[in-house]
Amino acid sequence: MAHTDHRTMRSVLRREIAGTIGLLADEHDFRAMRRYRTFTFDDHPTYLRQVEDVLKNRAAYGGHTTLALFDPEDYAAYCAETGLDPDLPASRTRFTAELATTGPTVPYDGGPLAALVPTLVDAAVRRATWEYATTLLTRLGPCPTCGEDIGRAAFTRASDLVVRILDTAPPGDRHLVCTVMGAPETLVSVLHGDEDTHGATRLDETEALEFTGVLALGLATRSPGGLVLRTSAPGTADRVHGWRLRAGTLEPLTAAEVFDAYCTDAESGDLIAPEPGVDYCAPPDLGDLGEGSAAPHHH
């Protein structure tokens, strides 16, 4: 009887353990891990099937599991820093536990693993973009004339602009895309805002922070780029507005310019047929925030 009780208690406890699995999302990362003797998987498709079986099994017993992206290069660097042997399963477990607290994760929802992998990769790309943008913002330092922190001032202004854009947008779900052109690479950030039953816009806090950081970098470095807002509401055509990022401020695009931007292939320059059921419009007035009066300092 006592044996059964212990077994029952153990299974109850197992259900209450939240776990994280570090996933090797692509073939390249999988091959990099094959160099470790204790990593015993032979091929990536089999590995993914095994991971999915473990996830389903844990879910069937009521366990909660999150997925993190396991990067072999980051793992090797982590082992070098901490003095761990990278060819020990315990080291991989330690690194995965670290990922659970520091890296982007997605909860396993019982669906196919193939559907979750793009979400996880997207979260990792967004995190990397955010870290890159904030690093560059921090490096800008203080304004030589007034001593104000350029990066912080740009972030405050970008936050104001995002709020103003959302406040003046027509009702509906919002989809914003910000592109900042610059060396060594172009940054793209996306922000979704769903309208609730009371007409308020719900934003993902992390996504909003990342989006604001990219816009702030464009403002602070006076880089070329653009911001596009698409609003969708039931029973009406989608509305698309746009702004050009130029000389540290947002300039509204005319309806014709938005149409041209949407109906031109970015790679080839060829014309694309306009999307049916979409209105290309000039944006609402953002007031003073949209003007150069609040532009960051020249530096």
Side-chain angles (χ1 to χ4, degrees):
M1 180 67 191
H3 177 68
T4 310
D5 284 348
H6 283 156
R7 207 161 54 196
T8 307
M9 281 191 282
R10 276 199 299 273
S11 69
V12 167
L13 283 172
R14 261 200 300 273
R15 281 202 297 274
E16 299 202 8
I17 296 170
T20 302
I21 288 181
L23 185 72
L24 296 158
D26 63 36
E27 188 77 45
H28 175 267
D29 286 348
F30 179 83
R31 279 201 305 272
M33 290 304 289
R34 292 285 314 278
R35 69 175 181 262
Y36 300 120
R37 185 184 48 81
T38 56
F39 186 78
T40 53
F41 295 96
D42 292 325
D43 67 278
H44 194 234
T46 305
Y47 160 81
L48 289 176
R49 278 198 301 277
Q50 297 276 359
V51 170
E52 189 156 23
D53 287 347
V54 169
L55 289 166
K56 283 179 176 167
N57 191 39
R58 282 179 59 85
Y61 286 96
H64 175 80
T65 316
T66 55
L67 289 166
L69 212 55
F70 195 105
D71 184 302
E73 283 183 25
D74 289 350
Y75 172 63
Y78 172 79
C79 288
E81 276 171 32
T82 53
L84 293 173
D85 179 353
D87 205 353
L88 288 179
S91 301
R92 293 197 283 276
T93 307
R94 282 268 297 275
F95 178 66
T96 302
E98 190 85 8
L99 286 179
T101 55
T102 60
T105 60
V106 293
Y108 177 66
D109 57 5
L113 186 58
L116 266 184
V117 170
T119 309
L120 185 58
V121 171
D122 183 53
V125 169
R126 278 183 18 225
R127 170 66 68 90
T129 302
W130 154 247
E131 286 176 353
Y132 179 71
T134 48
T135 300
L136 293 186
L137 280 170
T138 307
R139 280 189 196 152
L140 292 173
C143 168
T145 50
C146 74
E148 186 177 26
D149 186 292
I150 294 167
R152 194 174 294 125
F155 193 89
T156 302
R157 182 157 177 269
S159 304
D160 290 343
L161 283 168
V162 171
V163 168
R164 194 85 186 101
I165 287 166
L166 293 171
D167 282 351
T168 57
D173 294 342
R174 285 74 183 265
H175 180 85
L176 289 89
V177 181
C178 180
T179 307
V180 174
M181 262 86 95
E185 55 191 295
T186 293
L187 298 185
V188 179
S189 190
V190 177
L191 178 59
H192 304 274
D194 294 333
E195 191 173 56
D196 64 19
T197 47
H198 306 293
T201 303
R202 287 194 312 271
L203 298 173
D204 178 286
E205 231 172 275
T206 307
E207 210 179 63
L209 203 61
E210 289 160 351
F211 186 89
T212 307
V214 170
L215 176 57
L217 183 65
L219 296 171
T221 56
R222 310 175 77 78
S223 301
L227 194 153
V228 172
L229 165 68
R230 182 170 180 145
T231 308
S232 309
T236 63
D238 280 12
R239 293 169 67 93
V240 178
H241 306 131
W243 292 264
R244 184 184 292 106
L245 195 54
R246 181 188 280 170
T249 192
L250 287 179
E251 296 176 352
L253 296 175
T254 65
E257 286 173 323
V258 176
F259 180 89
D260 286 348
Y262 252 74
C263 301
T264 306
D265 185 291
E267 296 292 322
S268 65
D270 296 339
L271 289 176
I272 309 165
E275 214 180 318
V278 174
D279 286 344
Y280 303 93
C281 327
D285 181 16
L286 296 181
D288 288 343
L289 286 173
E291 302 302 321
S293 60
H297 305 290
H298 293 261
H299 55 276

